[in-house]
């Protein structure tokens, strides 16, 4: 697999980052402060791409002096809000990682001030992908993207492409004599990107990848599982992790076990039904494994084959711990049954929320509505906990252990940081400059 280009230069807003919310709100704030009416959405979109001060003049007909003041007010709000009011486009981290793996040099050229650009790229953990990040200094007011691109190109040779979502990006690429690919999912129109004139324009990030790679079989995605004792706070942390990964651009499929698809959800109802205390441990283990076989075949593998990030609430390790350890069927035996059920598919990353047996059970029973497994006595849950510990020791390279005794927000922060660090290592980011 090779990239068609040696250097790939990206615009920021509308290409890497979906930024309209912060921009529109800051615009309305600045205009409100100046006693001006807010423009319609169509006009507000014209502010994304060109330098701000220019747009106040060109779009709203302000005097240079008013435009300068409006820009100052806008920035006073935007600098604090830009992080929480923007997100990375879905699939961007995977795209950047793949381009780097192909040996392409990646860069950013944006009309946004340099400080803000660095701050945004660092916050979304994208900065590490780029060898060169060029923004404007506060005083530069120009529509001329070519000056920014030239700074990226200084001293570089080889095939280069600019990726951007507005006519300014297209013009800049043309002026610098480099290729251009339109980010049609951004804020420009297909016409201004040249779609009618044969310019390649990508409808989404996957389409962009296909235009940049010569032979682009979709890679295997990433498989992340979250494990822990009942009551360890898994649901809260799954919600937070899912939201954070999405905001950081990952194409997340969230699912759960037992369940995750209609057949497996029916098996879930049977296996957790409190009305069947007579269920044998082996029956239970096989039901979990058969639910899993369907889930892997129907949901997990197809998503991984599309290059998605699968985030699964429990997986094989729960069976090894609960049925192998808790029910005393033997950890190896349960692992064997599950290897057959899953075709040997194991997660790339497993997060273990370590709450300790007593704290977890206290929390679980505080909530009420225990299922058949949760109703087991504390010795059962102690055996489950011991089995998880053994698994973590044996499979330490894929496990991330997070102390789940702290307050929920701290747990979320630690969990996300550990997952992102591991993803970056897997994506090979640390091995590039
Ligand atoms: P879970 O959905 O995590 O519980 P909750 O409804 O509280 O979110 O899991 C349901 C129960 O099933 C839980 O007690 C753990 C148990 N379990 C096993 O015993 N083996 C398994 O393989 C799996 C996936 C879950």
């Amino acid at each position: 697999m090779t990239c068609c280009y040696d250097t790939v230069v990206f615009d920021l807003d509308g290409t890497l980052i979906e930024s309209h919310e912060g921009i529109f709100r800051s615009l309305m704030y600045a205009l409100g402060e100046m006693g001006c009416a807010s423009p319609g959405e169509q006009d507000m979109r014209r502010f994304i791409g060109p330098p701000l001060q220019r747009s106040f003049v060109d779009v709203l007909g302000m005097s240079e002096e008013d435009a300068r003041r409006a820009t100052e007010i806008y920035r006073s709000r935007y600098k604090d809000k830009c992080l929480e009011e923007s997100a990375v486009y879905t699939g961007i981290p995977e795209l950047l990682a793949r381009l780097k793996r192909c040996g392409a040099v990646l860069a950013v050229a944006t009309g946004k001030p340099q400080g803000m650009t660095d701050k945004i790229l660092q916050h979304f953990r994208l900065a590490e992908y780029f060898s060169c990040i060029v923004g404007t200094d506060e005083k530069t007011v120009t529509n001329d993207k070519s000056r920014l691109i030239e700074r990226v190109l200084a001293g570089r040779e080889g095939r280069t492409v600019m990726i951007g979502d507005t006519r300014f990006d297209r013009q800049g690429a043309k002026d610098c004599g480099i290729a251009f690919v339109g980010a049609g999912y951004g804020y420009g129109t297909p016409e201004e990107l040249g779609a009618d004139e044969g310019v390649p324009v990508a409808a989404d990030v996957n389409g962009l990848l296909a235009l940049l790679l010569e032979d682009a079989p979709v890679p295997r995605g990433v498989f992340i599982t979250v494990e822990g004792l009942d009551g360890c706070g898994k649901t809260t942390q799954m919600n937070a992790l899912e939201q954070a990964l999405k905001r950081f651009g990952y194409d997340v499929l969230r699912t759960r076990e037992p369940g995750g698809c209609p057949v497996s959800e029916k098996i879930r109802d049977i296996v957790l039904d409190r009305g069947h205390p007579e269920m044998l441990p082996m029956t239970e283990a096989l039901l979990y494994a058969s639910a899993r076989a369907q889930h892997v075949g129907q949901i997990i593998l197809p998503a991984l084959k599309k290059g998605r990030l699968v985030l699964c609430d429990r997986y094989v390790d729960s069976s090894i711990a609960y049925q192998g350890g808790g029910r005393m069927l033997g950890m190896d035996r349960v692992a064997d049954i599950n290897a057959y059920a899953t075709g040997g598919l194991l997660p790339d990353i497993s997060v273990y929320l370590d709450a300790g047996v007593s704290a977890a059970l206290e929390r679980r029973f505080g909530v009420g509505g225990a299922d058949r497994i949760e109703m087991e006595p504390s010795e059962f849950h102690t055996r489950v906990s011991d089995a998880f510990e053994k698994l973590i020791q044996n499979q330490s390279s894929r496990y991330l252990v997070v102390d789940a005794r702290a307050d929920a927000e701290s747990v979320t922060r630690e969990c996300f940081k550990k997952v992102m660090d591991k993803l970056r290592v897997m994506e090979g980011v640390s091995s590039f400059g």
Side-chain angles (χ1 to χ4, degrees), residues 276-289:
H276 289 293
E278 77 282 17
M279 189 181 291
L280 300 174
M282 184 55 97
T283 312
E284 183 180 289
L286 290 169
L287 282 175
Y288 277 115

Side-chain angles (χ1 to χ4, degrees), residues 230 234-235 256-258 268 272 284 288 292 313-316 318-319 322-323 364 371 373-374:
D230 294 293
K234 204 160 36 63
T235 306
R256 70 167 181 182
E257 292 211 336
R268 178 186 177 97
L272 296 180
E284 183 180 289
Y288 277 115
R292 186 162 293 129
D313 185 339
R314 298 194 183 279
Y315 188 61
V316 169
S318 275
S319 280
Y322 280 83
Q323 283 65 55
R364 186 62 195 96
D371 61 41
I373 306 284
E374 288 164 345

Side-chain angles (χ1 to χ4, degrees), residues 266-425:
K266 282 196 172 158
I267 299 175
R268 178 186 177 97
D269 292 342
I270 298 171
V271 82
L272 296 180
D273 186 348
R274 290 165 61 157
H276 289 293
E278 77 282 17
M279 189 181 291
L280 300 174
M282 184 55 97
T283 312
E284 183 180 289
L286 290 169
L287 282 175
Y288 277 115
S290 50
R292 186 162 293 129
Q294 184 68 31
H295 187 211
V296 167
Q298 189 184 338
I299 304 290
I300 298 178
L301 269 184
L304 291 174
K305 281 186 186 149
K306 283 193 196 136
R308 302 188 69 185
L309 185 154
V310 176
L311 180 62
C312 188
D313 185 339
R314 298 194 183 279
Y315 188 61
V316 169
D317 292 348
S318 275
S319 280
I320 299 178
Y322 280 83
Q323 283 65 55
R327 298 280 188 228
M328 296 192 284
L329 286 177
M331 293 172 66
D332 288 345
R333 189 139 65 118
V334 174
D336 288 346
I337 296 169
N338 278 280
Y340 177 58
T342 62
L345 177 73
L346 284 177
D348 302 293
I349 300 174
S350 295
V351 177
Y352 183 66
L353 296 173
D354 185 3
V357 185
S358 48
L361 285 186
E362 228 167 79
R363 222 188 285 180
R364 186 62 195 96
F365 288 117
V367 176
D371 61 41
R372 205 174 55 79
I373 306 284
E374 288 164 345
M375 282 168 57
E376 288 296 324
S378 65
E379 305 84 76
F380 172 89
H381 292 281
T382 303
R383 287 198 298 275
V384 173
S385 171
D386 292 346
F388 267 127
E389 264 175 38
K390 274 190 207 143
L391 269 172
I392 291 164
Q393 274 163 18
N394 295 340
Q395 313 252 348
S396 56
S397 65
R398 78 170 151 93
Y399 257 104
L400 301 175
V401 179
V402 174
D403 183 355
R405 292 172 188 86
D407 63 286
E409 272 184 24
S410 317
V411 178
T412 298
R413 261 197 309 278
E414 190 191 340
C415 198
F416 183 60
K417 182 178 183 317
K418 285 190 166 166
V419 168
M420 285 300 279
D421 287 347
K422 184 97 175 176
L423 281 172
R424 288 307 200 252
V425 172

Side-chain angles (χ1 to χ4, degrees), residues 13 34 74 92 111 130 209 222 262 344 374 388 400:
D13 292 326
M34 294 189 60
Y74 171 100
I92 286 292
F130 298 105
L209 187 64
V222 182
E374 288 164 345
F388 267 127
L400 301 175

